[in-house]
Amino acid sequence: MEIFFSMNIKKIVIIAATVVISVVTLLLLNLVKEMPMRELIYAAVSALFLIFGSIILKLLSPKISFKRFFCFLPLRLNHFFIIFWAILLAISGSYILNYFELLLAKAIGIGSYSAALSGMNIDNVWIMLLSIGLIPAVFEEIFFRGACLSSLNFFNGFLAVLVTSLFFVAIHGTPYGILCYLFVGFVFSYLTITTGTVFCAMIAHLINNIIS
């Protein structure tokens, strides 16, 4: 029992360390004034840390097959119906929560989420789609809805989703959009659990990012 508890605490520490190191590194990179393709570099660095964290978590779960640990199960035709409703839920919920957050921010006199994004370079649409759409959708889902959910399977389902979603909020490294990220984290987690494949969450995440 003690070994079991110690191993699971170790997994949580690794997840937390992956998130913290990724966020701190990106904040340090943000201090560099002149950086070509800044958003793409941010996405690549974050993806590198997520891959590394995923590999460590897998090494701590040697009895689970690679395919099942990362939920790399094939897509089925009926999954696309579920993906559609998950995207609709994620987008509508996000807009409602963002609107609520904007009202709250205005009421207490703090900056908005849109202001936080004002420094982003959107001159190259393809780089933006890659760095804000595709790369996060793939590597965040592999880490959070693949490795993390599998590693936290000692929890009951809700707690595993909650802890995973809280870390998902933390990796964005911003006080803006907390409710939105938490809600979307729940949607993508249950989408993966329902379908049994992380590819559904990747597709939903990608489309959600592009529309957002």
Side-chain angles (χ1 to χ4, degrees), residues 12-46:
I12 292 179
V13 169
I14 289 170
I15 295 171
T18 301
V19 171
V20 170
I21 293 172
S22 177
V23 171
V24 170
T25 301
L26 294 181
L27 289 175
L28 291 175
L29 284 175
N30 197 44
L31 297 177
V32 181
K33 298 300 182 182
E34 297 295 331
M35 183 185 297
M37 296 189 295
R38 179 183 297 272
E39 290 80 18
L40 188 57
I41 292 174
Y42 284 3
V45 169
S46 180

Side-chain angles (χ1 to χ4, degrees), residues 64-80 83 142 145-146 150 191-203:
I64 307 177
S65 69
F66 181 88
K67 183 183 293 186
R68 186 161 296 278
F69 182 80
F70 289 106
C71 297
F72 286 162
L73 301 179
L75 285 167
R76 297 179 180 176
L77 189 60
N78 66 309
H79 288 164
F80 290 94
I83 292 171
I142 288 175
R145 261 62 68 172
S150 293
L191 177 59
T192 301
I193 292 171
T194 301
T195 61
T197 173
V198 75
F199 296 127
C200 289
M202 286 182 187
I203 294 172

Side-chain angles (χ1 to χ4, degrees), residues 46-47 50-51 54 134-144 202:
S46 180
L50 293 178
I51 291 172
S54 298
L134 184 61
I135 293 178
V138 172
F139 293 99
E140 287 180 7
E141 293 310 313
I142 288 175
F143 181 71
F144 289 107
M202 286 182 187

